Amino acid sequence: MGRKLLIHNETVPNIHTLEVYRAHGGYASVEKALKTMQPDQITDEVKKSGLRGRGGAGFPTGMKWSFLAKPEGVPRYLVCNADESEPGTFKDRYLMEKIPHALIEGMITSSYALGAKQSYIYIRGEYFYVARILETAIAEAYAAGLLGKNILGTDYSLDLSVQVGGGAYICGEETALLESLEGKRGNPRIKPPFPAVAGLWGCPTVVNNVETIAAVVPIVNMGGEEYAKIGVGKSTGTKLISASGHINKPGVYEIELGITVEEFIYSEEYCGGIRNGKKLKAVVAGGSSVPILPTELILKTAKGEPRLMTYESLSDGGFLTGTMLGSGGFIAMDEDTSIVKNLFTFSRFYHHESCGQCSPCREGTGWIEKILKKFMDGTANESDVDLLWDVQSKIEGKTICPLGEAAAWPVAAAIRHFKHEFIEIAQKKKFVDVSHYDRLNKLVKA
Amino acid sequence: MSSQVHGAQKFDQAKRNQTVFSEEAMKTAQTIISRYPEGKQKSALLPILHLAQAEFGGWLSPETMDYVASILNIKPVEVFEVASFYTMYNLKPVGKCVLEVCQTSSCWLNGAEDIVKYIEKKLNIKVGETTKDGMFTLKVAECLGSCGTAPMLQCGASYHENLTYEKVDAILETYKTEGKLRSYTDLDYKNTL
């Protein structure tokens, strides 16, 4: 069994309540941090831990914290990014729903480290009921003196509240999130300035993902060096993986970074293999934005080494033969899956979610969806594959925020590894989708 | 405010005069506003639009948006530009229960299209339409973060997961019997931990 640091108590009854959470060692990091550590010491521990942003980009958290400007007399803010919207990703929802205090504890300890007196959790609007769960937990924390004035009798005070969004993938981009938190449309800002200098209401702000903030708790408790002993190389600690698609046991798994992809897919501890005795065809390993890989490349690198669940190993070979760990949204597809149809659902998503600010993304995502629709309708020509490639190549690097890349990469990867599927549809002038019927019929019978 | 601001919907001053939060909703709105520093009350716009949508029939009429603007002391167009950006705000009337079936990758892999077709047939409406009795509106949605429990649909605050045709039958039956407006702000969501 791998070590768990975030959801080790997931099966404890009523772990969502403050009483049970505390009885299982909860809020120890707040005690330790506020009573025995200086704020900068916590940032140092986070640096030592090697923790990298768990939302998808994988930027070193300690470094991000150290960029925070600290001008006199100007408030600083910590904002938690709970706008989890990357297709295939549902780990933050699971963590917040099951163990809301794990996030709140992380928010208190992290806010203290950053010198924030007011912090916000920005959660996607669709997770409204999760916001209710968080608000209940926050009220418990206030009543217990863990939030508000003079926390645990120290001179540190913090207010924490939740804001729900309105339904927009783009608000997971940190500057769009800040715009939305200010009550505006979620249009990403031009950077620089970065939020660390001018963020929420123009003040220095750190925006961190839910899982990143929750990971600060074990880091403070065990020390950064101990945390860094888990994992491989620059991929330290544990990671929540959202597993879905055609696997026997979909769900959220906490893994030690460094286990093999093969173990993750086939062992009983995790996904339990591909269901209905089917063979694995392809995997999207880190949320819809990352390149899809065929079985042979997800299990082994181009060099023939076993592929590991780490930032480095998954990206081994670059985009030609590799992918990314991303958000940890792991979608496995069986041999009957149409890669073209799956791509169509992704591209429809990106077109829907483009904020419309930059032309290459606004127009490009529309073009991509339109061309893929031709494949779905059986009216595409072979030359449409080249057109698709051309359109996606004109988005990357030409937009204010990474939604452009996120929309382009899956198209490029699908053509790179599964071009024959596009050609086949174009030649037959017909698309027959056989990939999903088994699952639902099986459930109906069961 | 001009009617152009709200596209097809016309602004009706008489209706606007009647658009007022209940005492309880106003209290909630004030609590939300108090979470932000002084002068930054516009930040409360998204949560208050959710509250207003739940209070005033499940959609945001020009009168509702004008009222929200007055509460936050901002211009009506600032409300409209936000309401029109985010998918969860309805700018035209909808049924009491808006069924949003997720259609992105993992849900598609698990039969979301069949769920949509089944509901279309059962309710005799197409995606985007409302039943004649005003009970149900059917929509498709992009990834709702329920990939491990696909296929799924959202109705108000409730996530209905691991859907089968039988489950859909039961869900529709329950909502129809209850016959009440379902909103994202509902406290009686049907999710189980």
Side-chain angles (χ1 to χ4, degrees), chain A residues 120 132 184-185 341-342, chain B residues 35 81 86 105 113 185:
Chain A
Y120 296 95
R132 299 283 191 202
K184 303 175 196 157
R185 294 164 79 92
K341 177 77 186 261
N342 183 66
Chain B
R35 292 171 184 161
E81 65 180 12
Y86 297 93
S105 181
E113 288 183 344
T185 55

Side-chain angles (χ1 to χ4, degrees), chain A residues 277-292:
Chain A
K278 298 272 184 185
K279 287 197 190 78
L280 179 68
K281 179 178 193 174
V283 167
V284 173
S288 57
S289 308
V290 311
I292 191 169

Side-chain angles (χ1 to χ4, degrees), chain A residues 3-34:
Chain A
R3 205 160 155 191
K4 291 184 184 182
L5 304 173
L6 302 174
I7 55 171
H8 50 291
N9 289 326
E10 61 185 321
T11 55
V12 174
N14 297 319
I15 191 69
H16 64 281
T17 64
L18 179 64
E19 192 188 349
V20 176
Y21 182 73
R22 278 191 117 168
H24 284 78
Y27 288 100
S29 80
V30 174
E31 292 263 358
K32 184 174 175 182
L34 269 57

Side-chain angles (χ1 to χ4, degrees), chain A residues 61 122 205:
Chain A
T61 306
Y122 179 95
T205 304

